[in-house]
Amino acid sequence: MLNLLWIVPALPFLSFLILAVLGKRFTLKAASILGAGSIGISAFITLLIGISFISNPPADHIFVQTLWTWINVAGFNPSISFYLDPLSIVFMFVVTFVGFLIHLYSVEFMYEEEGFTRFFAYMNLFVGSMLTLVLADNLLLLYLGWEGVGLCSYLLIGFWYKDSVNGAAAQKAFIVTRVGDTAMAIGLFLLVANLGTLNIKDILSKAPETWAQGSSLATAVALLLLGGALGKSAQLPLQTWLPDAMAGPSPVSALIHAATMVTAGVYLIARTNALFILAPDVQQLVAVIGAATLLVAGFSALTQHDIKRVLAYSTISQIGYMFLALGVGAFSAAVFHFMIHAFFKALLFLAAGAVIISLHHEHNMFKMGGLKTKMPLIYWTFLIGSASLASLPLITAGFYSKDLILWTAWSGTKGSTWLWAAGLFGAFITAIYTFRMVFITFLGEQRTEISHTSGNLIKVPLVILAVLSLIGGFIELPGTLGHLPLFSGFLENALPSVSLTGKSILQEGIFQIIAGITALAGLYISYLLYVRRNISEERFSKGALHRFFYSGWGFDWLYDRLFVKPAIFLAYINRNDFIDLFYNGIAAVTSFIHKLLSKTQTGRLRWYAMGIAVGAILTITIIVFL
Amino acid sequence: MNISLEINLALAGILFLIGLIGVMVRRNIVFMLMSIEIMLNASGLAFVAAGSKWMQADGQVMFIFILTMAAAEVSVALALILKIFGRTKTLDADLLDKMKG
């Protein structure tokens, strides 16, 4: 059964090729069956592989399927091979299943749009690239998938390319992530130069033998890989592209900019965990960046008007939690939060997309309102997703995953009170902005007429994701609530488990209660602010602090001054490119000789005859007399 | 009667020069064509003379080639001249300078 592994990424690629080459000949129905169906079959095979892997695990819990040798140069021979272990199974599962649900949703969401087959071709290419990324057994193949998803992200953000704003957003996303990708490429070069291989398994075993704990090379490699992860996962200081990436269609935001691609950085760090353990300073930095990002993005989410931008900042913030977990060494907690986050954030984006399409593509929450009675199913699923995001205690999956991170941030040997406090305060803000979004969008009076009601293809994925957002957490119950570590037990074979300082179960319980109360307090404050309206939004929105948060802490402004403006200025003063002078000179000389020669082309036959005669005489003279 | 090679070649050279000067100074295409014919025959004469000097048949073979080629050339050239005249109503080569660079 495991031998079917290659089909999982191959199917989306095949479907992409067919749609890209023959797309124009397909009816909308055929294109949607092919586009969504290929992902559906991939998801089904993933399920079979997952069952077979769990019931009958291969040796060491690792299965490698080598398809062919990619390159073979001077002992450097990366192959096209897929590496299956518990970590890649989790990612594969999320990519194919959530991907399939989003594809189903897209069939209805995009049906009326121009470029329907183009959309599905890009989406399939994305799923194929993402699967390559998470299944790659060497970092070069991973990098191929990494760039592939970056390309699809660019193509899909700019899907509605006729509006130049969308094109600019796509370029911004591409260029900002390129900064991180360059760092990552240099990191890969360092790995090849020092370890002579990019095979992940070899790296993880060779690195601790070659480098001492905290050696400068290990630190440099970990830093450079972290750079790549920061760009892809939109963490400080490369987070500015994600809010603008919301220019793409809502299913794209759900699939690429919430559930899968942006968590590739989390995957990379979890996958190369040994390198980060070798560089404790960098791992500490990961935790600090995660904590800082979750606060910065949380404050920005508090002030946004566009419902998708709230969700975008919230995604940045939640990935900050994952980085926090990675930084304190709780790799499985990060992956657990990744999975739960994929469920509820995809749900939130899809539900938000359904709202947006029902209101003539209105993104501004303050023009929505009162949708609770008009679209009850979307309201309830959105509410469930929000509850999970705000990690309301006990009933939602988000509570279990976030609580695991908070607990390890406190009790882990690499954790600290500060990291825990940042995470807890972040959870408080999360609850406020999440319910602010719910209350403004769905309660109050209706401000815009509904123009479109959603069909089953939109509703079914929402319901499935809502169920997963509720019960998904029960596969990993903490010590206080029955202690059922199914998920971390599964991942234990792939990822090092977190080392905790001996804290008692009583303390864990107290901390969970604190976390739960924090979330509920956030909910209550949000209720006071936006339902009871004891404190008006107007009073905040005039303040300088509000503007500062609204603009994403001025990062765009800063980068504009630091990088964009100087680059444009340099381009301006060098607009007559001085290197061109040399080439223009060659062109001028050539053109001068051309003019001289064309003077001889008089068009007079007799001149030519004379030219031939004179030439012949000269030639003969030279031959005879010299 | 035995004519020396030098005289023959001198005659061929003179004929060739006459033809060449004709091509260069005449403006009427028909006369230019006739001048070319003179040049061709001049070179033919040089071949025949050289062939008879060294008692080789090659010279006469070459002359027959030149003759054949000249016939073909004249037929093509006359057809072209007719066409040119039909289009431009002139045979003055200096007026036909549309191809100047």
Side-chain angles (χ1 to χ4, degrees):
Chain A
M1 190 52 75
L2 296 182
N3 288 322
L4 291 177
L5 182 60
W6 67 274
I7 298 179
V8 177
L11 269 177
F13 278 130
L14 181 73
S15 155
F16 155 69
L17 269 184
I18 296 174
L19 282 174
V21 176
L22 304 172
K24 290 225 168 97
R25 291 156 193 252
F26 278 47
T27 59
L28 292 186
K29 203 162 192 178
S32 44
I33 288 172
L34 184 66
S38 59
I39 312 294
I41 299 173
S42 276
F44 181 69
I45 296 174
T46 304
L47 189 69
L48 294 181
I49 289 174
I51 291 171
S52 147
F53 191 94
I54 291 170
S55 61
N56 189 11
D60 288 340
H61 288 82
I62 291 169
F63 171 77
V64 178
Q65 185 175 37
T66 304
L67 297 182
W68 66 84
T69 304
W70 186 5
I71 301 168
N72 194 349
V73 176
F76 175 65
N77 47 0
S79 55
I80 304 282
S81 29
F82 297 129
Y83 181 90
L84 195 69
D85 72 345
L87 178 63
S88 43
I89 284 186
V90 172
F91 271 81
M92 202 165 85
F93 168 76
V94 171
V95 172
T96 54
F97 268 80
V98 178
F100 175 56
L101 292 175
I102 293 171
H103 273 73
L104 272 186
Y105 174 95
S106 311
V107 169
E108 183 175 331
F109 190 86
M110 301 297 292
Y111 211 72
E112 305 287 311
E113 293 288 340
E114 190 186 336
F116 183 76
T117 50
R118 181 164 62 93
F119 179 81
F120 271 94
Y122 291 165
M123 290 287 269
N124 284 342
L125 179 64
F126 171 78
V127 174
S129 306
M130 191 70 204
L131 287 169
T132 312
L133 197 167
V134 300
L135 286 173
D137 100 313
N138 58 70
L139 289 175
L140 195 64
L141 187 59
L142 184 145
Y143 196 72
L144 179 74
W146 188 274
E147 293 302 317
V149 293
L151 169 72
C152 295
S153 162
Y154 166 78
L155 290 173
L156 285 163
I157 294 169
F159 180 74
W160 288 313
Y161 57 87
K162 284 177 184 162
D163 188 349
S164 65
V165 176
N166 298 341
Q171 282 178 12
K172 185 175 176 187
F174 199 72
I175 293 167
V176 173
T177 49
R178 200 79 11 228
V179 176
D181 291 357
T182 310
M184 182 177 162
I186 299 171
L188 298 191
F189 298 154
L190 274 183
L191 279 174
V192 176
N194 288 286
L195 300 180
T197 178
L198 280 180
N199 187 296
I200 293 168
K201 211 171 142 194
D202 293 350
I203 288 175
L204 295 191
S205 59
K206 266 189 188 173
E209 295 165 11
T210 320
W211 292 324
Q213 181 91 359
S215 75
S216 56
L217 257 179
T219 310
V221 169
L223 261 181
L224 288 165
L225 291 185
L226 173 63
L230 293 181
K232 207 54 131 192
S233 290
Q235 298 293 293
L236 284 178
L238 297 176
Q239 86 287 27
T240 55
W241 64 271
L242 191 59
D244 287 351
M246 296 301 122
S250 294
V252 172
S253 310
L255 179 62
I256 301 184
H257 304 118
T260 54
M261 185 191 85
V262 286
T263 51
V266 178
Y267 175 80
L268 178 72
I269 294 177
R271 186 47 99 196
T272 56
N273 53 64
L275 294 172
F276 284 86
I277 292 169
L278 274 180
D281 295 343
V282 180
Q283 205 181 6
Q284 187 70 33
L285 182 67
V286 174
V288 172
I289 287 178
T293 309
L294 74 91
L295 288 175
V296 166
F299 277 114
S300 289
L302 271 179
T303 57
Q304 300 302 314
H305 300 156
D306 180 334
I307 185 166
K308 282 183 76 182
R309 282 181 88 90
V310 177
L311 291 172
Y313 277 113
S314 138
T315 303
I316 298 175
S317 170
Q318 297 305 308
I319 296 171
Y321 276 103
M322 297 177 211
F323 272 65
L324 174 61
L326 293 171
V328 298
F331 295 103
S332 60
V335 176
F336 186 48
H337 193 55
F338 148 74
M339 187 176 82
I340 302 300
H341 173 255
F343 294 152
F344 67 67
K345 194 51 70 65
L347 166 64
L348 286 172
F349 267 115
L350 294 184
V355 170
I356 288 166
I357 203 172
S358 300
L359 300 175
H360 310 282
H361 291 274
E362 178 60 66
H363 281 231
N364 191 340
M365 293 191 296
F366 290 95
K367 293 190 179 159
M368 295 175 178
L371 299 175
K372 180 184 169 186
T373 47
K374 299 284 177 184
M375 20 176 94
L377 184 119
I378 289 169
Y379 167 67
W380 283 107
T381 50
F382 195 88
L383 189 66
I384 290 169
S386 301
S388 202
L389 170 59
S391 63
L392 293 191
L394 299 179
I395 49 164
T396 63
F399 171 72
Y400 296 99
S401 63
K402 203 179 278 178
D403 176 66
L404 194 62
I405 292 175
L406 290 178
W407 172 240
T408 45
W410 164 266
S411 66
T413 44
K414 290 171 180 165
S416 72
T417 320
W418 286 107
L419 293 176
W420 172 77
L424 190 72
F425 191 59
F428 177 61
I429 298 173
T430 307
I432 298 181
Y433 72 67
T434 308
F435 283 97
R436 168 181 178 266
M437 181 170 64
V438 175
F439 294 149
I440 294 176
T441 310
F442 289 97
L443 303 186
E445 66 206 47
Q446 192 176 350
R447 274 155 245 159
T448 310
E449 274 306 306
I450 294 173
S451 64
H452 174 275
T453 47
S454 307
N456 280 335
L457 280 179
I458 283 185
K459 286 178 177 163
V460 169
L462 290 181
V463 171
I464 296 175
L465 285 170
V467 171
L468 286 174
S469 303
L470 285 181
I471 64 163
F474 296 135
I475 56 172
E476 175 83 16
L477 294 179
T480 45
L481 296 163
H483 193 67
L484 184 71
L486 278 182
F487 190 82
S488 53
F490 179 56
L491 280 177
E492 214 159 36
N493 303 303
L495 297 170
S497 51
V498 59
S499 58
L500 299 175
T501 52
K503 294 282 198 299
S504 72
I505 200 158
L506 181 68
Q507 275 175 313
E508 193 178 351
I510 293 172
F511 275 91
Q512 272 163 5
I513 292 169
I514 294 175
I517 290 173
T518 310
L520 291 172
L523 167 61
Y524 183 64
I525 287 181
S526 197
Y527 172 77
L528 286 183
L529 278 173
Y530 299 104
V531 180
R532 298 264 297 275
R533 294 182 195 283
N534 286 352
I535 307 162
S536 79
E537 173 83 7
E538 296 293 311
R539 254 173 57 199
F540 289 125
S541 57
K542 291 210 173 69
L545 198 62
H546 185 282
R547 279 206 307 278
F548 178 62
F549 289 153
Y550 182 74
S551 67
W553 292 55
F555 273 97
D556 277 331
W557 181 86
L558 183 69
Y559 290 164
D560 195 49
R561 292 291 183 291
L562 271 183
F563 303 112
V564 180
K565 286 271 164 61
I568 292 174
F569 177 68
L570 280 178
Y572 179 75
I573 55 175
N574 192 26
R575 62 194 181 284
N576 299 323
D577 195 356
F578 69 93
I579 296 171
D580 272 359
L581 284 179
F582 174 67
Y583 296 104
N584 287 342
I586 293 179
V589 169
T590 317
S591 144
F592 176 69
I593 297 172
H594 159 77
K595 275 190 186 131
L596 276 187
L597 284 176
S598 71
K599 284 269 189 306
T600 66
Q601 295 287 313
T602 55
R604 296 199 170 180
L605 206 52
R606 302 189 300 137
W607 277 97
Y608 297 162
M610 203 166 81
I612 293 170
V614 171
I617 290 166
L618 277 178
T619 313
I620 291 168
T621 316
I622 289 169
I623 289 170
V624 171
F625 290 99
L626 292 179
Chain B
M1 186 180 142
N2 220 347
I3 303 167
S4 72
L5 180 66
E6 285 77 12
I7 292 175
N8 262 324
L9 287 183
L11 177 63
I14 290 166
L15 274 176
F16 192 85
L17 263 183
I18 291 171
L20 184 61
I21 291 168
V23 171
M24 287 190 292
V25 300
R26 297 304 295 240
R27 298 203 296 192
N28 190 317
I29 307 182
V30 180
F31 282 95
M32 289 170 84
L33 188 63
M34 286 162 67
S35 303
I36 290 172
E37 288 303 312
I38 294 172
M39 288 163 76
L40 279 172
N41 283 305
S43 56
L45 178 60
F47 270 116
V48 174
S52 93
K53 160 84 181 171
W54 284 295
M55 304 300 282
Q56 296 279 332
D58 298 8
Q60 294 172 32
V61 171
M62 280 310 290
F63 183 69
I64 291 169
F65 272 132
I66 290 172
L67 210 64
T68 330
M69 192 218 61
E73 180 235 320
V74 165
S75 62
V76 173
L78 282 177
L80 280 174
I81 288 170
L82 277 178
K83 270 297 193 198
I84 290 169
F85 187 74
R87 277 182 184 228
T88 60
K89 301 289 175 214
T90 176
L91 285 176
D92 187 344
D94 282 6
L95 296 179
L96 302 171
D97 60 352
K98 275 193 184 165
M99 298 279 278
K100 78 172 166 214

